[in-house]
């Protein structure tokens, strides 16, 4: 079992930056592939970015490519999401997720979830 706690959300103007963190506790963090999802009001929870156990492979939704960067520090049991050039359409609750398998974009394949952190981008 792994517990996930997100932090770093907030209110930012369009064009600004935020860095989200997800701290993990419990089983060995490095055995999990990690991902960030987001959910806007009235919308489905969507894949944003993922990173493999070894940090070698990263994956991004087309909507965030070139603006967001996912990274992890296995020594600190933490995964990050650096978000630059933020747009109002990035406004959502951002969730950290962990899976024993490979990085996939399907939310049902993730076994563990944090409670989320709100990101609001004003125009």
């Amino acid at each position: 079992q792994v517990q996930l706690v997100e932090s770093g959300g907030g209110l930012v103007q369009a064009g600004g930056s935020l860095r989200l963190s997800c701290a993990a506790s419990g089983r060995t963090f490095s055995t999990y592939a990690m991902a960030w999802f987001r959910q806007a009001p009235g919308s489905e929870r969507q894949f944003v970015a993922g990173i493999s156990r070894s940090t070698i492979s990263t994956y991004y939704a087309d909507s965030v490519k070139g603006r967001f960067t996912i990274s992890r520090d296995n020594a600190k049991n933490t995964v990050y999401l650096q978000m630059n050039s933020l747009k109002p359409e990035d406004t959502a609750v951002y969730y950290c997720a962990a899976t024993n398998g490979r990085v996939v974009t399907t939310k049902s394949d993730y076994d563990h979830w944090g409670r989320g952190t709100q990101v609001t981008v004003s125009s």
Side-chain angles (χ1 to χ4, degrees):
Q1 190 78 3
V2 62
Q3 293 79 42
L4 305 173
V5 179
E6 302 94 337
S7 62
L11 174 64
V12 64
Q13 288 188 333
S17 298
L18 282 175
R19 188 195 197 200
L20 305 184
S21 298
C22 173
S25 60
R27 287 189 59 189
T28 305
F29 175 70
S30 61
T31 67
Y32 292 92
M34 301 296 296
W36 288 94
F37 285 75
R38 67 186 181 187
Q39 187 168 15
S43 299
E44 293 287 324
R45 193 171 298 187
Q46 297 179 328
F47 175 85
V48 174
I51 187 166
S52 63
R53 300 182 187 93
S54 63
T55 77
I56 289 176
S57 299
T58 57
Y59 308 85
Y60 297 94
D62 288 343
S63 59
V64 306
K65 279 182 183 176
R67 300 189 297 124
F68 291 11
T69 303
I70 188 171
S71 61
R72 66 189 294 167
D73 185 336
N74 287 340
K76 295 183 177 180
N77 285 7
T78 303
V79 62
Y80 305 98
L81 186 67
Q82 177 67 44
M83 305 186 295
N84 298 329
S85 302
L86 282 161
K87 304 175 182 180
E89 51 263 45
D90 294 318
T91 295
V93 177
Y94 284 70
Y95 296 90
C96 176
T99 178
N100 284 311
R102 300 179 297 109
V103 174
V104 292
T105 61
T106 308
K107 58 183 182 290
S108 60
D109 287 323
Y110 287 82
D111 309 300
H112 307 284
W113 293 86
R115 293 188 175 184
T117 185
Q118 176 71 46
V119 171
T120 303
V121 184
S122 62
S123 58

